[in-house]
Amino acid sequence: MPQPEARPAVLDLFRSTGAYLSGHFRLTSGLHSPAYLQCARVLQHPRNAEDLGSRLAQAIAALVQLEPVDVVASPAIGGLIIGHEVARALGTRFIFAERDTSGKMTLRRGFEVTPGETAVVVEDVITTGGSTREVIESLRARGARVLAAGSIIDRSGGKVDLGVSRAALDTLVVDSYPPESCPLCAQGIPVVKPGSRAV
Ligand SMILES: [Zn+2]
């Protein structure tokens, strides 16, 4: 049996793999922030991915009160690895949505969802919940019943409401600002888009 007490805290895993960055960052949401979580650095170690996926699957199973889940779906690219590992732990299939040329988050590659299937949506980090919300909508448009959403980290401090139950393994409360009222911009500190350079 897994022993949760023997597992390192989630944010400690981020720190020990250099995935918790400090500076001045432009998030995918467009907001600026003094901290960034580079999840790919934690998940580059398959053992961490499997461990986090298993923990998140347990949290989601508790949330949906063990109602069977047919499919796990994630927004590409951020949700791919963790969604895959959650699906492995839940014993379901895994599909992903990606942006088409018009910028709309859609299921492609022949992925199918049967009306009435139950789904959960998994992302690496939820900040505004925008990508997860789009995947929920695309699943519903195909008749799926979305039971819950999950992420490794909740950066919204619990504020994001997706209209479904939501699980996260840890919460990181760091200020984020619209560019026009960003104090780091006001100090003239150059803003970095994470992943655009070596760190
Ligand atoms: Zn800024």
Side-chain angles (χ1 to χ4, degrees):
M1 287 291 288
Q3 297 181 0
E5 65 276 11
R7 293 162 155 181
V10 172
L11 281 173
D12 285 345
L13 268 182
F14 278 73
R15 287 190 189 94
S16 67
T17 53
Y20 192 153
L21 311 176
S22 297
H24 179 196
F25 302 102
R26 181 164 56 239
L27 308 178
T28 310
S29 59
L31 300 176
H32 289 194
S33 173
Y36 185 74
L37 296 175
Q38 185 60 271
C39 273
R41 293 190 71 158
V42 176
L43 299 173
Q44 71 181 309
H45 306 285
R47 193 171 297 166
N48 289 346
E50 184 179 29
D51 173 30
L52 294 170
S54 153
R55 294 195 219 187
L56 190 50
Q58 284 177 29
I60 289 170
L63 207 57
V64 303
Q65 300 181 321
L66 304 177
E67 181 166 1
V69 176
D70 294 317
V71 62
V72 173
S74 295
I77 294 175
L80 291 183
I81 293 173
I82 188 63
H84 183 267
E85 293 299 328
V86 168
R88 184 204 301 277
L90 289 175
T92 70
R93 70 186 200 281
F94 171 69
I95 62 176
F96 58 89
E98 57 203 303
R99 297 201 183 280
D100 63 18
T101 48
S102 70
K104 187 176 174 346
M105 190 69 86
T106 23
L107 294 174
R108 299 167 69 187
R109 301 175 195 268
F111 288 141
E112 287 179 7
V113 177
T114 311
E117 275 197 307
T118 54
V120 297
V121 177
V122 171
E123 171 65 295
D124 54 356
V125 178
I126 281 188
T127 304
T128 62
S131 301
T132 293
R133 192 174 286 113
E134 284 181 75
V135 176
I136 290 174
E137 283 162 10
S138 78
L139 291 168
R140 283 184 176 152
R142 292 168 184 243
R145 198 156 57 85
V146 179
L147 301 177
S151 60
I152 304 172
I153 305 287
D154 178 1
R155 273 199 61 143
S156 82
K159 287 188 193 133
V160 163
D161 180 3
L162 296 167
V164 295
S165 319
R166 194 160 69 79
L169 295 182
D170 214 335
T171 300
L172 179 69
V173 182
V174 178
D175 291 333
S176 53
Y177 319 95
E180 58 275 16
S181 60
C182 173
L184 300 164
C185 283
Q187 290 169 50
I189 300 167
V191 66
V192 173
K193 186 176 188 303
S196 63
R197 61 170 187 139
V199 288

